[in-house]
Amino acid sequence: MVTISIDGREFEAEEGQTVLQVAREHGIDIPTLCHHEAIEPYGACRLCIVEITKGRRSRIVTSCLYPVEEGLKVQTKSPRVISNRRMLVELLLARCSKNKVINELASQMGIEKPIVRSEYLEDNDCIVCGLCVRACEQVVGVSAISLVNRGITKEPASPFLEPSRACIGCGSCYYVCPTDAIKMEDKGDTRYIYNWKVEFKLKKCKVCGNYWAPERQLEYIRKKWNLPADFFDICPTCK
Ligand code: SF4
């Protein structure tokens, strides 16, 4: 165990934990967009920055990636943190000026308009945090999408921007997206994921008749776990 201080309060923490984990365990709020407990941290959105002090030196780090160590002093709301975080949100607002989540974040910080508004920057809901890509790879194990291009044109996409052949339609990318940038819809017996240009037939429950999950996703799970052919004939509600 190590002892660290966050905003002047001392806490015991386990070696290997990150500053963000310890802060959250103790109810200390640090904003994040690209963090998800089931997915390896990546530090993409950088909103979780904190100021750490070791000896006489202090610096800004991303708390989702920074491991605790004995005697570490952490400030989550120092003037330097607030000013840096504010600039990050202003930049996000420049890219996603109509996005509800980003606008709410900006208004909580008293930001009324973006720091820049590039006429070359198409308004977007995606903050390019890559959480969808990491969820697909690490949680689903499919890697149907990736981050493509560079600079302001970087985006998550299916290979060659064609309908993704590897996608199983599970919707994990849609559920983890912090800014609702992934558009998914279940209509009748079909699921559409517009970002990856794919559609999937949904399985109909033999008891209630509801369409409840993509057939391709269920087949993927059935094969992976060697389940009987009729295992998914009945939906979880009716089982
Ligand atoms: S819906 Fe497709 S792209 Fe999204 S996580 Fe599932 S397999 Fe990956």
Side-chain angles (χ1 to χ4, degrees):
M1 297 291 272
V2 297
T3 305
I4 67 166
S5 97
I6 305 180
D7 296 339
R9 292 161 62 201
E10 288 208 338
F11 301 106
E12 296 271 290
E14 282 176 37
E15 280 181 45
Q17 280 192 296
T18 63
V19 168
L20 180 66
Q21 284 173 323
V22 179
R24 289 202 164 164
E25 263 177 28
H26 296 282
I28 297 166
D29 179 48
I30 298 177
T32 61
L33 283 172
C34 74
H35 185 75
H36 192 288
E37 277 164 20
I39 298 166
E40 286 288 309
Y42 190 67
C45 74
R46 309 203 80 74
L47 279 189
C48 70
I49 52 169
V50 292
E51 186 166 358
I52 57 156
T53 306
K54 287 201 276 182
R56 276 194 266 162
R57 196 166 161 251
S58 74
R59 65 193 170 106
I60 296 286
V61 298
T62 45
S63 62
C64 70
L65 289 171
Y66 202 86
V68 294
E69 59 186 286
E70 182 60 38
L72 187 71
K73 289 188 174 58
V74 180
Q75 288 177 276
T76 67
K77 296 174 189 66
S78 69
R80 201 170 159 198
V81 169
I82 298 294
S83 141
N84 276 268
R85 194 176 287 147
R86 196 182 160 86
M87 186 188 65
L88 290 165
V89 175
E90 283 172 337
L91 289 169
L92 287 175
L93 194 59
R95 179 183 167 91
C96 311
S97 68
K98 298 190 182 79
N99 183 269
K100 189 166 173 269
V101 175
I102 300 301
N103 271 280
E104 279 171 6
L105 198 56
S107 105
Q108 281 163 18
M109 299 182 79
I111 300 165
E112 283 170 10
K113 51 182 185 179
I115 194 167
V116 285
R117 181 77 192 103
S118 165
E119 51 192 314
Y120 303 110
L121 202 58
E122 205 178 299
D123 211 72
N124 209 313
D125 284 322
C126 177
I127 59 166
V128 204
C129 67
L131 195 56
C132 53
V133 173
R134 287 180 286 135
C136 189
E137 180 191 347
Q138 295 173 27
V139 180
V140 189
V142 165
S143 295
I145 49 174
S146 61
L147 287 174
V148 300
N149 302 330
R150 290 179 179 211
I152 59 170
T153 59
K154 191 170 180 178
E155 60 175 354
S158 50
F160 306 107
L161 305 181
E162 298 282 331
S164 172
R165 288 196 199 161
C167 180
I168 58 170
C170 66
S172 301
C173 50
Y174 162 82
Y175 295 114
V176 297
C177 177
T179 53
D180 297 326
I182 295 170
K183 308 302 174 204
M184 184 175 93
E185 192 177 19
D186 288 353
K187 272 200 284 191
D189 65 353
T190 309
R191 167 168 293 180
Y192 302 86
I193 307 178
Y194 300 107
N195 300 57
W196 324 135
K197 304 182 176 82
V198 285
E199 56 182 77
F200 299 91
K201 186 142 182 12
L202 294 168
K203 180 98 177 165
K204 189 176 188 177
C205 171
K206 280 196 169 163
V207 176
C208 65
N210 285 337
Y211 293 102
W212 62 282
E215 287 180 350
R216 182 142 187 224
Q217 177 191 2
L218 298 176
E219 194 54 15
Y220 172 81
I221 299 169
R222 199 185 67 71
K223 283 191 177 148
K224 189 169 179 180
W225 298 103
N226 206 16
L227 300 169
D230 61 352
F231 191 83
F232 290 121
D233 281 358
I234 298 171
C235 75
T237 316
C238 294
K239 264 192 178 164

